[in-house]
Amino acid sequence: MCSKLNKDIISEILEYLNEESSTTSLYSCILINRTWCSITMPIIWENPFLFNQKTSFKIIQTLISNLNEEEIIKLMKKTNHSLDFIIKKPLFKYQNFIKEININNLEYLIELHYNYFYTNIPTNIDLEIFTRNLLLNMIFKTNFNIKKLIFHFNYKNYFKYKKNNFLEILINNNLLKNSLKNLKNFEINIYFINFSNLFNLIYQREIIEIINYISNLFINFFNKLSKIFFNIKYLTIYIELNNIESLLFKKKICEAYSQLIENQKNLLYLEMNEFFDYSNFTKSLITQSNSLTTLKINYLRNINKLLLILSKCTNLITLELTEHFEIDQEEEEEEEEEMLMKQIYIEYLIIFQLIITDKRHFIYFMKSLLKFSFKIKKLILEFISFELLDIIKLYCSNSLEYFSLKVIPNDIMKLCETLLSFKILNSLIIIEWLGDNDFPISLQALILLANSLPKTLKFLGIRTFCNSINFKKFLFNINVNIIELDIYKSLDDEFINIIIQYVLEKNRNLKILGYLNVRNNNFSRINELIPTIKEAKSY
C-alpha cells in the first residue's frame, strides 16, 4: 500500500528545500499533485521580488493578472495596449502569500517588465509609478502577513520618482496600519549625495528646496512609522546625516527615529550607522535594554555613550563595529570613570572592515570594553597591535572560545605568547596579511605558532603565504588533535599531498577539511581522504 505524507511533513520538506536549494527544486514540486502545489506555491511566493533570472519580471505580470477588472482596464488605458499576457485569472491570490517586500527590487522588475513586454514604448516613469502603486495597493489591501520590508532611498530615487517615492506612500497610505501590523523586520537605507556637488546641475534655490523636502520627508516618515510599527524585532536604519547641513533638521530626524526605536516592544536586532544626537539615541536604546541581543554600529563616534548603553543592555550578546571609528571629541575623565564602573554583558565582539582614524582611541575603547566584559566568548578582529594583544591576554584568557584575526608576520611572535594564555579556546582563525614590504611568515615563526596552539583547540582556519615545505613543517609540528581544518587558499598537488600525509600519519582525528579550491581539478585527490575523514568541502 502506498503511504501518504501529511501536509505538515510535506511543508517541512519544502521549507528545507527553500533553505538549501534553488527555487527550481520547488517549482518541480508544484507538478506532483494538487496538495503539493497548494503547499509549495505560498513558499515560492514568500519573497518574490528577486531578479536572479532574466525572466524574473514575469512576477510582475502574474501580480497584474490578479488586479481586479476595473484596475486592469485603467492600466490598459494607461499603457494604450492590451495586456496580452493575461489569459485567465491565476489559480491563487499570489499577493497574499508575500512575506517579504524589497521595494527597490519591485520597482526594478516593473521597469524590466515594460522594457521587455512593450519594447516599442519608450521608458515612461509615470506608467511605472502607476503600476507600482496599483500593485502595492493590492498587496497592502489584502495581505496582513508581511514580515519584512526593505527600502533604499538615494538621490537616484529622488530624481527618478520625485514626490512619488515610496516614503511618501508609507506616510500617506492609510492601509499600512493593518497590512504591516505584523512586520518583524524593517530595513531602511537613506543616502543622498552632498548637495554641494550639484551646483553645476541645478540652481541654488532648487538645492535648498530639495534639502528641505528630503529632510521633512525623513522626519514625517519616521514619525509615521513610530505610530504604526510596534513589534519590529530586526531594525536596520542606515542614514547619512552628514549630507544634511541644517543642525535643526538633523536633530529632528534623530528625535524621530529615536522614537521609532523606543516604541518597539521586543527589539532584538538593531543596526545603525551614524547618529547626531547621542542623548536621544542613548535614551531610546536603554528602553530596549531587556530585549536587545545584537547591536551593529557602522560609524562609532562616541565611546562613553556606547559603554553606557552596553552596561544597561543586560541581554545584549553581540556587538558589531564596522566602516568607521572616528571619535568626535576628547571625552572627559570624570564621565569616563562613571561609564567604566558598569559591567558589560556582551559575549560576541565582531570588528571588521573598520577604518580607524585614531588608534589611541581604539585601544582605549578596547581596553575599557574588555576590562568590564566578563564573558567575551567570541572575538573577531581585523586590527591587531602588541598593545591590543596584551589587553586580550589580560582580560579574555579565561573566557574566549573563538578568536579570528588578521595578522602581519611581525606580530606572530606576540600572538603566540597570547595564544598560550587561553584556557578554553576551541576555534582559531588566523589570516596572514601582507603589506607592500612584508615577507611571509618565517619557518621559525610557523613552528612557534604550531607549538603555541592551545590544547583545547578543535577548529583551526588559516591563510598563509608560505611555501609547501614550510606549510608541511607547520602542520607536522601541531601537537593538538584538531577536528576541523580550514585552509583559505588554492591547493595544488604539493599541498594536497601534504594534507593527505598529515591526516594519515599525524592526525586521524580530523573529521572535516575545508579549502578554497583545488588547482587542475584535483577533487578526486581530496576525496581520497573521505574514508578517513567525514567531509571535505570547498568555499
Side-chain angles (χ1 to χ4, degrees):
M1 180 180 291
C2 178
S3 61
K4 292 185 178 180
L5 298 174
N6 64 42
K7 289 187 176 182
D8 290 337
I9 294 175
I10 295 172
S11 182
E12 282 192 29
I13 294 171
L14 295 174
E15 287 292 354
Y16 176 80
L17 282 175
N18 190 34
E19 292 175 4
E20 301 294 329
S21 307
S22 65
T23 312
T24 307
S25 302
L26 287 173
Y27 275 110
S28 301
C29 297
I30 294 172
L31 306 175
I32 296 175
N33 58 37
R34 184 175 297 178
T35 301
W36 278 73
C37 180
S38 65
I39 299 172
T40 305
M41 200 60 77
I43 295 174
I44 291 175
W45 274 81
E46 284 181 1
N47 181 19
F49 304 120
L50 302 171
F51 41 93
N52 52 0
Q53 299 176 17
K54 291 182 179 179
T55 56
S56 295
F57 64 85
K58 290 185 178 179
I59 295 291
I60 301 303
Q61 296 176 355
T62 303
L63 286 174
I64 288 173
S65 300
N66 263 316
L67 292 169
N68 63 41
E69 187 175 346
E70 182 182 346
E71 291 168 330
I72 289 175
I73 291 172
K74 286 181 181 179
L75 187 57
M76 288 173 63
K77 289 181 179 178
K78 194 80 174 176
T79 60
N80 200 25
H81 280 70
S82 63
L83 304 180
D84 296 335
F85 54 84
I86 300 179
I87 301 173
K88 59 180 179 179
K89 274 292 180 182
L91 294 174
F92 300 97
K93 292 186 176 180
Y94 297 97
Q95 66 272 21
N96 293 342
F97 300 148
I98 298 171
K99 292 183 179 180
E100 177 174 336
I101 301 179
N102 186 315
I103 298 299
N104 303 86
N105 289 358
L106 168 63
E107 291 172 339
Y108 181 64
L109 291 177
I110 290 172
E111 182 182 341
L112 287 183
H113 158 70
Y114 284 115
N115 287 344
Y116 178 88
F117 201 72
Y118 300 120
T119 53
N120 59 332
I121 297 179
T123 302
N124 187 329
I125 303 302
D126 289 339
L127 179 57
E128 290 180 25
I129 292 171
F130 183 80
T131 305
R132 180 200 64 185
N133 293 349
L134 272 181
L135 296 182
L136 285 177
N137 188 67
M138 176 181 68
I139 294 169
F140 289 146
K141 200 170 185 178
T142 59
N143 186 340
F144 306 127
N145 200 32
I146 297 170
K147 296 291 192 293
K148 185 173 183 179
L149 184 64
I150 301 171
F151 179 60
H152 293 189
F153 181 87
N154 56 37
Y155 65 97
K156 291 181 181 177
N157 292 95
Y158 175 79
F159 287 111
K160 181 174 181 178
Y161 296 109
K162 299 269 186 332
K163 295 188 178 182
N164 287 296
N165 64 78
F166 181 67
L167 294 185
E168 290 281 10
I169 294 177
L170 280 175
I171 292 169
N172 298 316
N173 194 321
N174 293 323
L175 295 172
L176 296 180
K177 187 172 182 180
N178 291 324
S179 61
L180 297 178
K181 64 182 179 181
N182 294 315
L183 193 72
K184 302 298 181 189
N185 193 325
F186 181 56
E187 179 181 318
I188 179 76
N189 185 315
I190 301 172
Y191 172 74
F192 217 96
I193 59 174
N194 194 318
F195 289 98
S196 61
N197 297 330
L198 299 177
F199 272 104
N200 294 329
L201 301 178
I202 51 181
Y203 295 108
Q204 176 70 21
R205 181 180 296 177
E206 290 177 295
I207 292 175
I208 294 172
E209 288 178 0
I210 293 173
I211 292 173
N212 291 341
Y213 167 73
I214 295 294
S215 301
N216 280 308
L217 179 64
F218 293 167
I219 293 166
N220 293 334
F221 167 70
F222 284 115
N223 283 334
K224 173 77 172 183
L225 296 192
S226 297
K227 295 175 182 177
I228 62 174
F229 288 175
F230 302 103
N231 298 306
I232 298 175
K233 290 188 175 181
Y234 307 93
L235 178 60
T236 298
I237 302 175
Y238 196 105
I239 181 170
E240 292 282 355
L241 291 176
N242 270 346
N243 293 339
I244 297 174
E245 296 180 1
S246 167
L247 294 179
L248 178 61
F249 277 136
K250 283 186 178 182
K251 185 175 178 59
K252 286 186 175 180
I253 292 170
C254 288
E255 287 175 355
Y257 68 84
S258 291
Q259 191 63 50
L260 174 63
I261 295 170
E262 192 170 333
N263 284 2
Q264 302 316 305
K265 296 177 181 178
N266 190 25
L267 187 64
L268 300 176
Y269 173 96
L270 176 64
E271 179 178 349
M272 305 283 298
N273 61 325
E274 60 186 65
F275 208 87
F276 174 72
D277 185 345
Y278 273 93
S279 58
N280 275 315
F281 180 55
T282 304
K283 179 175 175 286
S284 65
L285 277 190
I286 290 175
T287 64
Q288 304 300 320
S289 60
N290 292 325
S291 63
L292 198 65
T293 60
T294 300
L295 176 61
K296 182 176 179 181
I297 300 178
N298 302 318
Y299 200 140
L300 182 61
R301 288 184 168 181
N302 189 302
I303 293 173
N304 286 327
K305 292 296 186 194
L306 176 61
L307 293 174
L308 174 62
I309 291 167
L310 295 178
S311 71
K312 298 291 185 181
C313 295
T314 55
N315 288 313
L316 190 68
I317 296 172
T318 303
L319 173 66
E320 291 187 37
L321 302 178
T322 186
E323 293 195 25
H324 289 275
F325 184 97
E326 183 177 351
I327 305 307
D328 284 336
Q329 59 188 11
E330 293 291 337
E331 295 164 306
E332 299 182 9
E333 293 183 4
E334 299 169 12
E335 183 184 16
E336 173 183 313
E337 288 299 322
E338 181 184 349
M339 301 300 173
L340 298 183
M341 289 170 59
K342 308 293 184 181
Q343 200 164 50
I344 294 170
Y345 299 87
I346 63 170
E347 296 181 17
Y348 304 150
L349 177 59
I350 302 169
I351 301 175
F352 63 99
Q353 296 179 353
L354 191 67
I355 299 172
I356 301 169
T357 56
D358 190 325
K359 292 183 179 179
R360 292 179 300 107
H361 278 134
F362 183 74
I363 294 296
Y364 160 72
F365 166 73
M366 290 295 293
K367 183 177 180 180
S368 303
L369 180 60
L370 296 181
K371 180 179 180 180
F372 290 91
S373 302
F374 65 97
K375 54 180 184 179
I376 293 285
K377 296 180 180 179
K378 183 175 184 177
L379 182 57
I380 298 175
L381 288 170
E382 287 190 350
F383 167 72
I384 285 290
S385 68
F386 276 31
E387 189 176 359
L388 188 51
L389 285 170
D390 279 334
I391 292 169
I392 293 168
K393 177 183 175 182
L394 180 62
Y395 297 118
C396 298
S397 58
N398 292 321
S399 63
L400 203 61
E401 298 175 6
Y402 182 109
F403 189 26
S404 173
L405 73 158
K406 285 184 177 179
V407 59
I408 61 174
N410 289 342
D411 291 342
I412 286 292
M413 299 293 188
K414 186 68 176 180
L415 173 63
C416 293
E417 178 188 323
T418 306
L419 291 176
L420 289 170
S421 70
F422 293 138
K423 303 294 190 300
I424 58 173
L425 191 73
N426 56 50
S427 298
L428 175 64
I429 296 177
I430 300 173
I431 306 297
E432 183 181 7
W433 193 257
L434 295 183
D436 294 336
N437 300 316
D438 291 328
F439 294 98
I441 300 174
S442 67
L443 176 59
Q444 179 188 3
L446 280 171
I447 292 174
L448 180 61
L449 177 61
N451 291 328
S452 302
L453 297 180
K455 299 297 181 183
T456 53
L457 201 67
K458 302 298 180 187
F459 164 73
L460 174 64
I462 188 164
R463 184 188 75 177
T464 176
F465 295 99
C466 68
N467 59 38
S468 58
I469 296 173
N470 287 359
F471 187 74
K472 179 178 180 179
K473 291 185 178 180
F474 166 72
L475 281 183
F476 277 79
N477 273 279
I478 294 176
N479 296 314
V480 181
N481 288 324
I482 53 178
I483 295 173
E484 183 173 354
L485 173 65
D486 281 0
I487 302 171
Y488 308 119
K489 66 182 301 176
S490 298
L491 303 181
D492 57 21
D493 284 345
E494 289 185 25
F495 275 92
I496 292 173
N497 288 333
I498 290 167
I499 294 166
I500 292 173
Q501 188 180 357
Y502 166 71
V503 172
L504 297 179
E505 298 180 12
K506 179 73 175 178
N507 183 12
R508 284 185 172 268
N509 288 319
L510 192 74
K511 301 301 178 188
I512 302 174
L513 172 67
Y515 53 92
L516 192 60
N517 56 56
V518 294
R519 295 178 189 170
N520 303 322
N521 294 321
N522 281 321
F523 292 100
S524 59
R525 299 293 318 286
I526 291 290
N527 289 333
E528 289 178 21
L529 288 169
I530 296 301
T532 306
I533 67 175
K534 288 184 177 180
E535 182 182 356
K537 57 184 180 180
S538 63
Y539 295 101

